[in-house]
């Protein structure tokens, strides 16, 4: 495909065009959820930066996760909200590729980041006396950089393979946003290489981190069961409960999307994908702050500081 032809190509994001009333309802719902995502994840990032009590490896990785969720949702929700209210649901080739590459990069990074957070919990529970030595500031930065770098590399590889494809038909994407598999299927040439690369990337970035998470929690479980006091076991489990919940929501939604029975109802399939893309980033800050006394304390401190500043 010639580079000069890119500006001439547009894609139509079909969404739920056949259900205009449902789109208006989705507009209100997704707008509220997006605002919650920005507020919840933005607050966690701000608290981690401002409160010295949260300058620990766990909250450093959590801030990365929150920052990632903001970027991930911002890559497609604003344009999706506009399309909900407009009759013309077109998107340029460049914008579609940018939306697709950013969301794919953030999704890949989140998988690796969840595995990194599992390793952090493994060291905290299985080797608590050496936790601060092992999880040094340098190592935390390196692990976070590795997660972001791998996610970017995976997205870059898939995107380069995708933009080389020629498009010569009616470019209608049966989705709310530009999704890489739906994108490549519109090509009028053989896409077997792209499909193999996508499948390989999904296996590496979905199941390898999940395997590492499971291994970490097997060791954590064995260590916790050796603790004599019930109070000690409860405290150890409580430090992992938020991460376990976040992993369950993230992978549970993905596995449901790919393992559910095939259905001809494309609207249902698109709503499930929308749930994965919007609800999961909204739940992460709620999960990590619901029963977290340190986050509650940092938030109260921030609010009281702001109140005193306003009074002064």
């Amino acid at each position: 495909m010639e580079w000069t032809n890119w500006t001439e190509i547009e894609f139509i994001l079909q969404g739920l065009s056949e259900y205009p009333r449902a789109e208006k309802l989705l507009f209100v719902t997704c707008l509220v959820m997006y605002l919650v995502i920005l507020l919840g994840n933005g607050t966690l990032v701000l608290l981690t930066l401002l409160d010295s009590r949260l300058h620990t490896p766990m909250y450093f990785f959590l801030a990365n996760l929150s920052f990632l969720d903001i970027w991930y949702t911002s890559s497609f929700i604003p344009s999706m909200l506009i399309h909900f209210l407009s009759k013309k649901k077109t998107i340029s080739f460049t914008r579609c590729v940018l939306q697709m590459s950013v969301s794919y990069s953030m999704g890949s990074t989140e998988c690796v980041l969840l595995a990194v957070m599992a390793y952090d919990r493994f060291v905290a529970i299985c080797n608590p006396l050496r936790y601060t030595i092992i999880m040094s500031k340098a190592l935390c930065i390196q692990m976070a950089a590795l997660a972001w770098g791998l996610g970017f590399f995976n997205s870059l590889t898939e995107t380069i393979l995708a933009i080389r494809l020629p498009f010569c038909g009616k470019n209608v994407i049966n989705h709310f946003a530009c999704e890489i598999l739906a994108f490549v299927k519109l090509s009028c040439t053989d896409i077997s290489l792209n499909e193999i690369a996508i499948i390989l990337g999904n296996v590496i970035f979905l199941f390898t981190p999940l395997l590492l998470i499971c291994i970490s929690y097997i060791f954590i479980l064995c260590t916790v069961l050796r603790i004599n006091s019930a109070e000690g076991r409860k405290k150890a489990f409580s430090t992992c409960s938020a991460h376990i919940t976040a992993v369950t929501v993230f992978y549970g939604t993905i596995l449901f999307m790919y393992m559910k029975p095939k259905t001809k109802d494309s609207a249902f399939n698109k709503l499930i994908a929308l749930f994965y893309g919007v609800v999961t980033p909204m739940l992460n800050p709620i999960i990590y702050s619901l029963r977290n006394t340190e986050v509650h304390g940092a938030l109260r401190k921030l609010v009281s500081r702001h109140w005193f500043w306003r009074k002064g």
Side-chain angles (χ1 to χ4, degrees), residues 183-198:
F183 180 88
V184 300
K185 284 184 176 179
L186 294 176
S187 175
C188 50
T189 189
D190 180 45
I191 61 169
S192 55
L193 177 61
N194 298 79
E195 291 180 324
I196 291 171
I198 291 171

Side-chain angles (χ1 to χ4, degrees), residues 18 61 73 95 126 145 149 164 169 178 187 197 205 210 233 251 262 300 304:
E18 62 273 30
F61 295 128
T73 51
R95 284 179 57 209
C126 298
R164 294 175 63 250
C178 290
S187 175
F205 282 88
L210 181 59
R233 288 195 295 269
Y251 278 100
K262 296 289 183 180
R300 284 195 297 269
S304 62

